Amino acid sequence: MNPPGRMRLLALLVLILGAPLAAAVAAAWGEQVARQSLREEGHAQLALFSANLRTELEKHRAVPFVMVHDRGVVELLADPQPDARIAMNRKLEAIADALPASALYLMDAQGNTLASSNWNRPDSFVGQNFAFRPYFQNAIARGEGHHFALGTTSLVPGYYTAHRVVAENRTLGVLVLKVAFNALEAGWREATPRVAVTDRDGLVFITNVDSWRFHSLPAEHPDAPGTMPGIDPLPWRLDPHGGEVVTVEENRQRRSYLTASMALPDGDWTLHLLTKLEPAYARARQAALLAAGAVALLVMGGLLIAQRRHAMQERLAIQEEARAELERRVADATAELRARENELVQAAKLAALGQMSAGIAHEINQPLAAIRTFTDNATVLLERGKAEMVRDNLLEIASLTDRMAAITRHLKGFARRASGRQSAVDVVSAVHQALALLEARRRRDDVTVALDLPGEPVWVNGEDVRLQQVLVNLFTNAGDAMRGRPERTLHLSLRTDDGCAVLTVRDTGAGIAPDDLGRMFVPFFTTKEAGEGLGLGLSISHGIVRDFGGTITAANHPDGGACFTLTLKRTEAPA
Ligand code: ADP
C-alpha cells in the first residue's frame, strides 16, 4: 500500500477507536462535574426551602399562644353565652382572615366547638366535636398539640396547632389554629426542583407535585419508617447504585432526579428535594460531542499535515531526481566538450606543426648540408693523413647532430597529447622551449626577442606541453602581427608577486582593433587569410590557462603593439 493510503487507514482507525473512547471519557467526566454542581445547588436550595417552610410555621405560632390568655376566650369557656359566642365567632374570623389561617376555633374541655372562624360557612366547625383528634388530646394532656391532618369537614389538609386554655388551674378548653399550605405550595410550584415534605410516618403532606400528596415514601427509601396500610407509595424508584438518584414516572415518562433530604429542626418532618438530572446528561452529551469532534479534527488535521508532508517529500524527490539528471547531462556534455576541445587542440597543434615543419625542414637541411661537407672534407683529410683536422671535423659533425636531435625532441614533445595531469611547471624554461621551437621562424622573420626573465625557475600550476602550446601560439601571433613591420621586437617579461606569476608578451605589431578586443578569445575568430589561421589558437589557449586556474587577457600597449598578459598560480617546486 502506498504511504497516503496507509496514513488514511491509520487515521480511520484512530477515528473509529479514538472518537468513541474520547466521547465516553468526556461524557463521564462532564456528567461527573455537572452532577457535582447540581448536588451543591440542590443543597443550597434545600436550605432555602426549609427556611421558607419554617418561616411559614413560625408566622402563626404565637397566635394561639397569645389567644389562650385572652379574657374573652376564658370568659366564653367559663360561661358560653350565645351573645358571647357570636362575638367570639366574629373575632376569630377577623383574626383568621388577617393571618391568613385556614381556621381558628375554640373548643370546650369535651371537644365541642363553641366558636369558629368559619362559623357562617357551610363547613362550619361550630357544634362539632373534635375530641378524637390527636392534637386536642395532646393539648388537654400536655398543654400543646400539633398535628397534620386532612380536615374532617373541609377535607382540606392542614397543620393544626392546639393550645390548652387554663384558668385557676382548671382546664377550660382548647384553642386550635389550622394552617393550610396552599400559598406555600403555590409559591413552590414555580420553582423547578420537585419538593416534598414528609411527616414522621413518611407521608407527603406538602409538595409542589399534586399527585404526590398523601403518598408515602417507598419502603426502600432510607427515610421510610415502613409501609402504611391503605396508602400508595410515591412513584419513585431508587437507583440501587447511585443512592442519590430516583427515577420518577411522570406522564408515562421516566425522569431521573438527584435527591437531597433534610430533617427539619424540632419536628418530625423531612424535606425532600429532587433536582432534574437532565442538565447533567445534556452536559455529558455536549462533552462527548466536543471530544469526538476534537478527535475528528485532530485526526483530520494530522492527516492533512501528513499528506502535505508526503506531497512535499515527493516534490523534493522529483526535484532531486531532476537535478541529478541535469548534473549527469552537464557532466556528459562537459566530457564531450573536453574531448572535442582535446581534438581541436590536437588539430591546432598539427596545423602549427605543418606551419613549423617548413621552417624545421630548412633548419635540419642546413646542418645536413654542413655534415655532408664535413664528411667530404674528413675523407680528403684522412687521405692526407691529417688526423687532427679529421677529429675537429668529426666533433663539428657531432655537435650538428646534437642540434638536430634537440629540434626533433622539441617537436616530439609538442605533438604529444596533453596528459591531463597538472603539476608544477617552470615558466622560465617553458618560455625558452617555446622560443627554441620557433627559432627557425624567428630567424626567417628577423625578429628580435627582448627577454626580461628571472634567473631562477618560477614554478606554476599547469602542464608543460599545454603551457608550451599557449606560449607558441602567443609568440606565433606576435610574429604574424609584426610581419612586414619596420620594427620587429618581441618583449617577454616575467614578474612574480604574492601567489602569482605574470608573463607579458608584447609585440611591435599594429595592435588589436578596438572592436576585436572583445572577441579575440571567441573560437574561430580570425583576421587572417583563409588557410593561414583557424581562429582557434587564442580560444584554446584561454581554455588551457583557465584549466590551470589562471587568466589570459589582451590589450594594446601605449607605445603600440599588442600586449597579452598571462597570469598563473604559483606553486611549490617539485621535490
Ligand atoms: P589565428 O591566429 O588562427 O587567427 P588566434 O585565436 O590565435 O587565431 O587569433 C585570433 C585573432 O586575434 C587573430 O586573427 C588576430 O586578428 C588577433 N590577434 C592575435 N594575436 C594578435 C597580436 N599579437 N596582434 C594583433 N592581433 C592579434
Side-chain angles (χ1 to χ4, degrees):
M1 199 181 301
N2 56 353
R6 212 163 46 222
M7 271 177 329
R8 271 201 289 276
L9 191 72
L10 189 75
L12 197 70
L13 262 174
V14 172
L15 201 67
I16 290 173
L17 297 176
L21 193 75
V25 172
W29 175 78
E31 191 182 325
Q32 181 73 23
V33 171
R35 262 182 197 228
Q36 185 54 35
S37 85
L38 281 181
R39 200 169 290 134
E40 282 162 12
E41 202 180 310
H43 278 107
Q45 279 186 325
L46 199 63
L48 268 179
F49 280 106
S50 137
N52 191 216
L53 177 64
R54 270 168 42 212
T55 315
E56 187 73 18
L57 294 175
E58 294 293 327
K59 206 161 74 182
H60 303 109
R61 202 185 171 108
V63 175
F65 194 73
V66 172
M67 282 200 66
V68 293
H69 301 293
D70 182 88
R71 189 193 287 178
V73 171
V74 176
E75 279 176 5
L76 179 73
L77 287 174
D79 183 15
Q81 288 304 309
D83 286 355
R85 286 173 67 171
I86 289 166
M88 184 53 69
N89 276 336
R90 295 231 160 84
K91 187 172 175 176
L92 293 176
E93 185 184 12
I95 294 171
D97 283 350
L99 277 177
S102 210
L104 183 63
Y105 50 103
L106 190 60
M107 290 184 279
D108 63 16
Q110 285 70 47
N112 297 312
T113 310
L114 299 182
S116 173
S117 60
N118 60 2
W119 60 281
N120 61 355
R121 289 211 295 266
D123 56 353
S124 166
F125 293 169
V126 178
Q128 298 211 35
N129 187 291
F130 294 121
F132 63 94
R133 289 286 199 156
Y135 58 82
F136 175 80
Q137 291 161 8
N138 283 342
I140 292 288
R142 296 198 285 268
E144 199 175 325
H146 301 275
H147 188 55
F148 178 83
L150 209 62
T152 36
T153 327
S154 63
L155 295 179
V156 172
Y159 184 64
Y160 296 83
T161 310
H163 280 263
R164 187 169 58 184
V165 184
V166 180
E168 294 157 5
N169 285 336
R170 208 160 56 89
T171 299
L172 297 179
V174 170
L175 184 84
V176 186
L177 171 74
K178 178 188 173 187
V179 182
F181 296 102
N182 324 28
L184 186 72
E185 284 178 329
W188 285 4
R189 224 164 259 138
E190 283 158 24
T192 9
R194 304 290 157 101
V195 190
V197 181
T198 51
D199 65 5
R200 78 165 77 89
D201 299 322
L203 189 78
V204 177
F205 64 93
I206 308 173
T207 176
N208 56 2
V209 184
D210 287 337
S211 61
W212 289 359
R213 197 169 294 111
F214 305 122
H215 286 283
S216 62
L217 287 172
E220 67 270 23
H221 196 283
D223 292 340
T227 44
M228 289 206 285
I231 296 197
D232 291 334
L234 283 164
W236 296 3
R237 285 206 333 179
L238 272 75
D239 179 26
H241 313 294
E244 292 186 312
V245 177
V246 291
T247 316
V248 178
E249 300 270 359
E250 265 172 33
N251 312 326
R252 303 198 171 182
Q253 274 184 350
R254 283 176 156 211
R255 274 179 206 272
S256 296
Y257 293 88
L258 206 62
T259 61
S261 307
M262 182 190 243
L264 293 172
D266 60 57
D268 306 316
W269 300 358
T270 310
L271 187 65
H272 304 270
L273 186 98
L274 281 75
T275 318
K276 268 188 198 163
L277 262 175
E278 192 48 43
Y281 295 149
R283 188 81 167 263
R285 277 195 300 271
Q286 273 172 3
L289 267 174
L290 269 176
V295 167
L297 260 178
L298 270 176
V299 166
M300 265 150 64
L303 192 66
L304 211 72
I305 290 171
Q307 273 179 343
R308 280 241 176 111
R309 247 209 352 232
H310 181 73
M312 195 130 95
Q313 273 167 357
E314 264 186 352
R315 229 179 7 246
L316 279 179
I318 289 170
Q319 276 174 5
E320 180 59 26
E321 211 171 288
R323 201 180 59 78
E325 171 67 21
L326 200 70
E327 264 177 18
R328 212 163 33 243
R329 282 199 198 164
V330 168
D332 288 353
T334 311
E336 200 174 318
L337 268 177
R338 197 140 294 220
R340 289 266 156 85
E341 191 189 273
N342 255 345
E343 280 166 21
L344 281 173
V345 169
Q346 201 62 14
K349 273 201 292 192
L350 289 174
L353 206 60
Q355 276 180 356
M356 278 187 296
S357 48
I360 290 159
H362 169 75
E363 191 77 6
I364 290 180
N365 273 345
Q366 262 188 343
L368 270 181
I371 288 171
R372 177 79 218 172
T373 314
F374 280 127
T375 38
D376 288 350
N377 285 349
T379 317
V380 175
L381 288 170
L382 203 65
E383 283 165 3
R384 290 183 192 166
K386 295 192 173 170
E388 193 58 31
M389 291 182 78
V390 172
R391 192 172 160 273
D392 286 350
N393 268 12
L394 287 176
L395 283 176
E396 281 294 339
I397 290 170
S399 107
L400 283 169
T401 50
D402 277 354
R403 188 161 161 217
M404 283 159 67
I407 292 170
T408 48
R409 199 171 52 245
H410 283 313
L411 281 175
K412 240 163 64 193
F414 189 75
R416 221 169 49 215
R417 252 175 209 278
S419 68
R421 280 188 305 275
Q422 293 184 16
S423 58
V425 185
D426 174 21
V427 190
V428 178
S429 78
V431 168
H432 285 303
Q433 296 239 13
L435 285 174
L437 270 175
L438 298 172
E439 179 57 20
R441 208 191 130 162
R442 185 195 69 75
R443 269 192 274 149
R444 189 192 70 205
D445 293 347
D446 191 17
V447 172
T448 312
V449 178
L451 287 177
D452 178 11
L453 304 174
E456 70 280 8
V458 174
W459 298 100
V460 295
N461 184 49
E463 208 185 323
D464 57 352
V465 176
R466 297 221 281 163
L467 181 57
Q468 263 184 54
Q469 188 181 344
V470 172
L471 296 176
V472 165
N473 183 247
L474 288 179
F475 301 166
T476 312
N477 279 348
D480 289 348
M482 293 187 290
R483 199 178 295 151
R485 301 278 299 175
E487 162 147 35
R488 294 177 299 283
T489 309
L490 177 64
H491 298 270
L492 300 177
S493 92
L494 181 61
R495 298 259 172 283
T496 52
D497 62 11
D498 37 309
C500 285
V502 183
L503 177 74
T504 49
V505 180
R506 187 191 143 202
D507 59 50
T508 52
I512 305 156
D515 281 355
D516 296 344
L517 266 173
R519 47 188 179 158
M520 305 267 297
F521 299 98
V522 175
F524 301 108
F525 170 76
T526 181
T527 54
K528 293 173 190 166
E529 299 280 310
E532 269 194 35
L534 282 173
L536 284 173
L538 284 182
S539 77
I540 290 171
S541 299
H542 186 264
I544 291 172
V545 174
R546 193 193 50 217
D547 278 358
F548 295 169
T551 57
I552 178 168
T553 55
N556 280 317
H557 196 270
D559 300 337
C563 182
F564 286 80
T565 308
L566 191 61
T567 310
L568 294 162
K569 276 206 256 174
R570 288 182 71 183
T571 186
E572 297 284 309

